[in-house]
Every structure is written in C-alpha cells, then in structure tokens.
Amino acid sequence: MLKPFHLFLVILIGWACNLSAQSVNLEFLREQYLQPSDKWPKPFLDPGIAHNEIGLLPEITFPKSNSFSVAKMRLGEALFHDPILSSSKHIACASCHDRDLGWADGREVSFGHSRRFGKRNAPSIENAALWENLFWDGRASSLEQQALMPIQDSNEMNFSLFELALRLNINANYKSKFNDVFGKDIVEVSDVAKALATFQRTIRSRNSDFDYFMHAIAEEDEEKKTFYAKQLSDQALWGMHLFRTKARCMNCHSGALFSDNEFHNIGLTYYKREYEDLGLFNITGMPDDVGKFKTPSLRGVMNTKPWMHNGLFASMEGVINIYNAGGVRIPKDKNDVFFPETSSILKPLSLTAEEMKALEAFLNAITAHPARGPHLSFLSQSK
C-alpha cells in the first residue's frame, strides 16, 4: 500500500533530533517506582485529563445477560476457529485474529471474502473484555454486538444472519452443543454472539516484565521482590518514566489497558485523498470526529505490528518518531467544516535517540508472549 511522502519526512525529522545522552540516576528512579503507585512522580497530563495510573489488569467480569460457563466458553472457542460462520466456509474469526500473531493477523489491512481487502488493521482481541467500545471507530458497545458484525460484512465473512442460523440448525454437532449450553431446541444467532463474546472475554494477557515489576511493589518476600523487580530492565524503567512524563504518553495511553478508551486524531486521515478513512465521523456524523480513531491498548503491542488503524508502520521507531514530531499536521482549510484537525494533545517532544530507544524498551516490557487461549483462571472453573 503506497503512502504519502510527507509521513516519511516526519520520520526523517525525528531522526534528526538531538542524539546526545541524558544522565539518569537509575538507582534513584528504581527506588521511586518500587513505591506504591500513588507515590510515583506525577505524570505530565494536560488540564482536564484525568489521572488514571498504569498498572495491573483487573479481574474479568461477565454481564448478567451473558454469564460465564466453561461449556459456553468452549462453544465460543469452537465457533471462533470454525469457517462455518462465513458464506464461503473459508474465513473464520481466527483468520484475522491469530493467537500466534498476538491475536491479530500481521497484515497492514485484513482481507476476507474472495480476498477482498478492508480499510483497517485487525486489532488484537487480548483483553477485549475491558474495552468500552469495539472496532477502531467504536461502532459496537459490547462484545455481543461486535461478534455478529464481521459475519455480515461483505469484505469479511459475507454471510447473512438468517443463512447462518439455517446452517447451524442443520449441523447436528453444533445443534447439540447449543442445546447443552442454552437449553434450546434451535440455534439462535443471539446465542452465537453470546458464545463468541464469552470466549473472547477469556483471552487475557500473560504477565509481562512490567507486571512482574508491579507485583514486586506489594511483595513481602524479599527474595521474590528482588526477582520480580529485576524483570524490568534499567532501560525499560527509564522508558516507563519517560512514558509517564516527558513523552506525555499517559495523556491517551493510561490505566491497566494503556488506553483511555477515547478517540483521537493523530493526522492519518488522508482526507479527500486515496486511502481516506474518516474514522469516528462515520458513526457519529459529527464534524469534530473526522479522522478520530480509538486509542489502542499498548499491552502486547510489540506482538501486533504493523501499527496504526491502517497498518502504516512496521517499525516502532517510525511510530515513536510520529509522536516525537507532534503528530502529522496539515494546515486547516477554514472553508471546510469537515476538515480534520490533529489533536491538540499531541505536541513536539524533543526526545533524544536514546530516550526513544528507552520508550521502545518499555513497550517491549509491557508485551508478554501472546495468550495461548482462555486464561487459566477460567479453565479451572467447573461446568
């Protein structure tokens, strides 16, 4: 996929930044961050942005309308990996959300039915239970709602829900499994959504080096505390401090998910050009939402390249350079009410080459090996 030349100029500008080393007292920094997080250095946040500290993942909860059971999870897992959900019987949910690729697909943009390409990069489903909105444009507010959308999308599975119900109801194996889980004689598509959503909620990140460091803070056993604390390297620790301060990352990438669950425009809209994608505007119709996309989680981020909603960057160095430059800014056409504006949160950072490497080290430290399947806490539960 060809991209405008000005993006690469931004990267080159980033490389031209100050390359000198910065003296950092890493021993003192480690002492600071081995305290409870409410005693950490204050993050650099813009006025009006709430302080939601980065930290450990919370326990996963299930909605009352779709309670958890092991049988339902296993049914959802079978459906997730079965191309029976697509009209061609060649495309499964796992086609774009491969566990070996961080539950994404490693492509700039995904392809589906008849190898038709979509417009967006497939996001990981790890920790999907914690999202408030699904898809890059937030068009689904629950995993149950999200689950049926790719099935009906002509570029993805290209199937109608009516035809899907017919196909599953003549499949004796699935009909029996749905009866066991939902106690119904017929398969209903709403129950397909519930089973898929249940399985997706169980896909939870493994412990990363950052998580072990966080466990060290509350650990009373000195031997374990020392072991856990050493999992976060000095370079990654410096990167964590930069992430919270000079690099201003926590203005958008906050909380346990490393996302504010909000929508922002960093300047990659391609407005009125090839590859135009208006993002959140397509859902809300509000001019201020042109070019806004959901802030992605950074947990497991190094497993899911290429990055951005359109898979523009295969190099994290390029991603960091975009933010170091303050995003991509194009002079606004005041006569066009729909002309997208890059978020004011993004500002030039003047990060040195060593600071950018430290940031990347921290991104590696919040990336664990991809989850292999449902988290052990769910596997241990009885039916």
Side-chain angles (χ1 to χ4, degrees):
M1 182 184 291
L2 297 175
K3 305 297 180 185
F5 182 66
H6 75 268
L7 289 176
F8 298 97
L9 290 179
V10 170
I11 296 173
L12 291 174
I13 291 170
W15 286 334
C17 288
N18 182 1
L19 302 179
S20 63
Q22 176 175 330
S23 177
V24 180
N25 187 334
L26 292 169
E27 184 177 349
F28 176 70
L29 205 60
R30 189 169 290 271
E31 288 177 2
Q32 283 189 303
Y33 281 102
L34 279 172
Q35 301 179 94
S37 60
D38 60 353
K39 296 182 179 179
W40 288 357
K42 290 184 178 180
F44 290 10
L45 298 175
D46 284 352
I49 294 181
H51 180 182
N52 184 18
E53 193 56 73
I54 57 177
L56 297 170
L57 290 169
E59 293 298 315
I60 300 302
T61 60
F62 291 77
K64 292 181 179 179
S65 59
N66 189 18
S67 59
F68 174 81
S69 75
V70 172
K72 190 189 296 183
M73 174 189 73
R74 289 305 190 193
L75 174 57
E77 183 176 24
L79 290 167
F80 188 88
H81 291 92
D82 196 337
I84 196 172
L85 299 187
S86 64
S87 62
S88 67
K89 296 185 179 181
H90 291 155
I91 305 293
C93 302
S95 299
C96 296
H97 301 285
D98 187 326
R99 68 180 188 180
D100 294 327
L101 297 170
W103 298 89
D105 65 3
R107 298 179 178 277
E108 287 187 12
V109 295
S110 300
F111 69 80
H113 185 75
S114 295
R115 296 189 70 85
R116 295 173 190 157
F117 282 94
K119 295 177 67 175
R120 293 177 183 161
N121 178 263
S124 173
I125 67 162
E126 276 194 347
N127 308 311
L130 302 176
W131 285 112
E132 296 174 8
N133 298 286
L134 287 304
F135 296 106
W136 282 103
D137 55 18
R139 63 185 180 273
S141 58
S142 72
L143 282 168
E144 287 77 10
Q145 182 184 13
Q146 175 275 331
L148 300 178
M149 290 181 172
I151 295 172
Q152 301 172 82
D153 192 307
S154 60
N155 286 331
E156 296 186 56
M157 296 162 122
N158 194 42
F159 211 18
S160 73
L161 299 183
F162 175 75
E163 291 172 298
L164 174 62
L166 289 178
R167 181 180 288 177
L168 292 176
N169 274 291
I170 62 173
N171 185 299
N173 180 44
Y174 273 121
K175 194 167 183 181
S176 174
K177 288 182 177 180
F178 271 89
N179 181 266
D180 289 344
V181 173
F182 296 103
K184 300 176 183 177
D185 293 331
I186 62 171
V187 177
E188 298 181 352
V189 291
S190 60
D191 292 333
V192 173
K194 288 180 178 180
L196 286 168
T198 297
F199 169 66
Q200 290 184 78
R201 286 192 176 97
T202 69
I203 307 302
R204 177 186 172 96
S205 293
R206 299 184 185 198
N207 278 334
S208 65
D209 292 344
F210 166 78
D211 293 314
Y212 283 115
F213 183 84
M214 294 299 296
H215 285 302
I217 295 171
E219 181 57 58
E220 295 181 357
D221 184 298
E222 285 302 319
E223 186 176 352
K224 288 183 179 180
K225 186 181 186 74
T226 300
F227 176 80
Y228 290 156
K230 285 183 177 179
Q231 301 310 301
L232 194 67
S233 70
D234 285 347
Q235 186 183 38
L237 177 65
W238 182 26
M240 173 178 162
H241 181 63
L242 291 166
F243 185 96
R244 298 181 66 259
T245 57
K246 181 179 178 180
R248 298 171 42 83
C249 304
M250 272 187 59
N251 279 279
C252 299
H253 295 283
S254 57
L257 264 184
F258 289 80
S259 170
D260 60 2
N261 265 297
E262 298 291 345
F263 300 83
H264 303 282
N265 180 0
I266 70 166
L268 301 179
T269 310
Y270 296 95
Y271 185 63
K272 292 185 177 180
R273 292 172 289 157
E274 190 177 6
Y275 309 120
E276 177 186 81
D277 190 340
L278 303 182
L280 183 61
F281 170 81
N282 291 330
I283 309 305
T284 67
M286 300 294 291
D288 288 347
D289 290 337
V290 174
K292 289 184 178 180
F293 294 90
K294 187 178 72 173
T295 306
S297 171
L298 295 184
R299 279 192 171 269
V301 65
M302 301 306 288
N303 293 329
T304 59
K305 68 178 181 182
W307 297 286
M308 302 300 185
H309 71 273
N310 53 7
L312 179 62
F313 291 103
S315 162
M316 185 53 71
E317 184 178 8
V319 174
I320 294 173
N321 272 308
I322 280 285
Y323 289 101
N324 196 30
V328 179
R329 297 191 179 275
I330 302 172
K332 182 175 176 60
D333 181 353
K334 296 181 180 179
N335 297 317
D336 185 352
V337 68
F338 295 103
F339 198 91
E341 286 192 79
T342 301
S343 172
S344 61
I345 294 174
L346 299 179
K347 296 176 174 62
L349 303 173
S350 300
L351 297 170
T352 68
E354 287 173 291
E355 287 172 330
M356 288 188 280
K357 288 178 181 177
L359 272 177
E360 186 167 348
F362 178 60
L363 295 178
N364 275 292
I366 59 175
T367 299
H369 191 76
R372 299 304 296 168
H375 191 265
L376 289 175
S377 60
F378 301 109
L379 297 178
S380 64
Q381 298 184 39
S382 61
K383 294 183 180 180

